Amino acid sequence: MNSESLYQFSIWTVLLLLLAFYGGTYLLTLGIRKKNEDADAFMVSNHRIGFGIGAASMTATWIWAASFYAAATSGYQYGVSGPIHYGLWGALMILFIYPFGKRFRKLAPSAATLGELIHARHGSSSQLILAISNIMGSIISLMVNFTAAGALVSVLSPLSFQAGVIISGVGVLLYTLWSGFRASVITDFSQLVALMAIAVVIIPAVFFAMGGPTELVAGLDNLTPEQANFFSSEAVLEQGAPFFVAVLAYAIGNQTISQRLFAVNEDHIKPTFLTATVGYGAIVIGLGMIGLMALTLGIEPMNGNMNNLIPQMVSGYLPPVFIALFFILVIGSLSSTADSDLSALSAIMMADVYGKNIAKGNADPDRMLMVGRLTMITATAVGIVFASFSLDILVMLVFVGALWGAIVFPVIASCFWGRVTNRAFTTSVIVAMVMFSLARFEVLPLAGASGLMFELLASIGGGIIIALMAFGFLGRIAGGVAGLLALVGMLVFATGFLREYTVLLASLTAYGTSTLVCVVMSLASKEAPFDFDLIRKRVGDYDDTAETESLDTGKPDKSPETAGQPVAQS
């Protein structure tokens, strides 16, 4: 297939489709605008989001541009097991914050960000480390989504890649700027309904237009033995395992998830996260099958760019009406995540940077709103500039997930273990990020003594990942046993072998290093154990709100117990 065979809309058709989507979304947000917006509603909807809106928002947020492009890339590169590796582990990223999220919400029910909890637990340095990692992640996420918009527009119309990037960035900013997080979750619901309705039509349509099951089975002969093997070791070590390692990293490090954790009604946390897990996994695995089908038919991505694969497949095999539906589908999915990133960034700057470190706990809610909106404008501009580089989406996802791996153990341990100190938290994250970089970019040779050192740290990292997952759902004893067994297995099978897989080695090294440094420094400290009851006292709402509305019903609901409390200084 070449570019001459692809269908393209006219410039005016594409502009009308974009105007219809972003204009309609903007009009939808007008219905929830308040004359005098308050800071807590702007950041977390006053902690009163119901199950329906919460589950829809979580699913729509997580089904982003990468769910289309990277899922297809995974199917194209790794064959029959690729879509499973991407969709399943992505779904688990949502699921695995649930048990730890319950603890976070119990400790700080009025928080807007996880950083506020960490500030109350440790102070500014640890909080700012978490905030910086979240800012980096959200900026890269914005870049990914704007990149996807540019690729889509450039393939399906005469407009340039840069034009698509700019239009999507400005469109998302316009409907999110006024009401912030409230606008994000309301539009997420409508976007998810449209996304699911269109996906149910588009995915089977592409599948059967390309020949259906018969062509898929016949094309399996074109696959390499590794691509045809459902249990491919190459797919596991290069794709599945790095994404599995990233599960907890994204769950803990991604503010778009924790923002919804703090926003949803506390009684609805479990069903919200379970529903989003199932919804995400089902849709994304289906999208990954398009990439697998392209592989079996021997189709080459346009210009060698994997980001063009899905637009190329849809444009080449479906009639114009279906292509228009697909266009709206992708624009809706990337916009639902981009507006969540803008809301997350604004909350971090409002609460973590301004509220806790500049205002020192005496924040002015009106000034917070100004900070939040200025953050959105700045972040959009930065995301557009970065998107112009058109970087590989899958590589960026693995890189950010690995960096977030450095904070996982310190954050979780800080919320369960009173011995963890601020110095242990800060030092462990910094050292882990240094070690990750040394391994990932092979600054030190991955052979000899240094290679063995990284493998030992990675083995600790593998053990701690399994331990934390088991601990979250099964308790401390089960977590300890599972982690110990995983550590022994890693030491036996990974030594002398893991160094061949740099991404996986570096990611596990980040986990292992941060755990080792944090535990040793905490045990060596003579500070008294922390009183976790202090966190609730130190984290309060920013506005004196008499009543809030449930976004499921629109009716007045009871205020959170801490509404109206001043932001206490820590």
Side-chain angles (χ1 to χ4, degrees), residues 146-429:
F146 295 159
T147 297
L152 181 70
V153 169
S154 65
V155 169
L156 297 183
S157 81
L159 288 172
S160 67
F161 171 84
Q162 287 77 13
V165 169
I166 293 171
I167 293 172
S168 63
V170 173
V172 171
L173 177 64
L174 286 178
Y175 74 78
T176 312
L177 185 63
W178 185 263
S179 299
F181 182 75
R182 293 170 60 248
S184 175
V185 295
I186 287 295
T187 56
D188 281 346
F189 183 82
S190 60
Q191 288 164 354
L192 179 66
V193 171
L195 187 152
M196 293 182 69
I198 298 173
V200 167
V201 175
I202 290 293
I203 296 174
V206 173
F207 185 67
F208 285 104
M210 296 170 69
T214 303
E215 287 295 324
L216 178 63
V217 173
L220 292 177
D221 293 335
N222 297 326
L223 274 59
T224 66
E226 283 293 324
Q227 290 173 332
N229 181 8
F230 187 79
F231 301 101
S232 164
S233 59
E234 179 179 317
V236 170
L237 291 169
E238 293 184 4
Q239 168 84 11
F243 267 67
F244 179 76
V245 169
V247 164
L248 278 178
Y250 272 87
I252 300 302
N254 195 316
Q255 169 63 15
T256 62
I257 293 183
S258 55
Q259 192 169 18
R260 281 155 181 76
L261 167 69
F262 287 116
V264 74
N265 189 311
E266 195 165 359
D267 295 334
H268 299 153
I269 291 177
K270 182 176 181 179
T272 295
F273 280 81
L274 289 177
T275 302
T277 298
V278 175
Y280 172 90
I283 294 175
V284 172
I285 290 173
L287 290 168
M289 294 301 294
I290 297 178
L292 175 61
M293 195 72 176
L295 174 66
T296 61
L297 295 181
I299 295 172
E300 295 291 332
M302 284 178 53
N303 303 321
N305 187 347
M306 295 300 297
N307 295 341
N308 290 331
L309 186 61
I310 281 211
Q312 177 184 348
M313 299 300 297
V314 172
S315 177
Y317 284 96
L318 295 184
V321 172
F322 284 89
I323 298 173
L325 288 176
F326 168 77
F327 185 86
I328 296 298
L329 174 67
V330 179
I331 292 295
S333 69
L334 67 87
S335 297
S336 68
T337 305
D339 64 40
S340 297
D341 287 316
L342 289 180
S343 298
L345 284 165
S346 64
I348 291 170
M349 296 302 294
M350 291 167 71
D352 292 351
V353 178
Y354 169 73
K356 293 298 184 183
N357 291 283
I358 297 177
K360 301 294 184 183
N362 295 310
D364 177 355
D366 292 334
R367 186 166 295 176
M368 290 185 74
L369 286 169
M370 181 183 70
V371 169
R373 290 178 177 133
L374 288 175
T375 298
M376 287 185 172
I377 295 171
T378 304
T380 300
V382 173
I384 288 173
V385 171
F386 282 3
S388 66
F389 296 121
S390 190
L391 301 174
D392 185 271
I393 289 175
L394 202 57
V395 171
M396 296 304 298
L397 289 175
V398 173
F399 180 77
V400 176
L403 283 179
W404 275 339
I407 69 173
V408 170
F409 181 83
V411 168
I412 293 177
S414 294
C415 295
F416 288 91
W417 186 26
R419 292 289 299 275
V420 179
T421 65
N422 179 48
R423 182 172 296 180
F425 185 107
T426 305
T427 305
S428 63
V429 173

Side-chain angles (χ1 to χ4, degrees), residues 498-522:
L498 194 59
R499 64 190 67 181
E500 301 297 327
Y501 299 90
T502 308
V503 173
L504 180 58
L505 176 70
S507 302
L508 290 173
T509 296
Y511 276 91
T513 302
S514 64
T515 299
L516 188 62
V517 174
C518 186
V519 169
V520 170
M521 291 187 66
S522 297

Side-chain angles (χ1 to χ4, degrees), residues 33-47 178-182 350 365-366 368-369 373 541-549:
R33 279 191 176 187
K34 295 180 180 180
K35 184 176 181 181
N36 296 309
E37 193 72 60
D38 61 83
D40 288 305
F42 191 89
M43 292 190 291
V44 286
S45 294
N46 303 105
H47 316 282
W178 185 263
S179 299
F181 182 75
R182 293 170 60 248
M350 291 167 71
D366 292 334
M368 290 185 74
L369 286 169
R373 290 178 177 133
D541 287 324
Y542 292 91
D543 293 281
D544 187 7
T545 307
E547 65 178 21
T548 60
E549 290 184 353

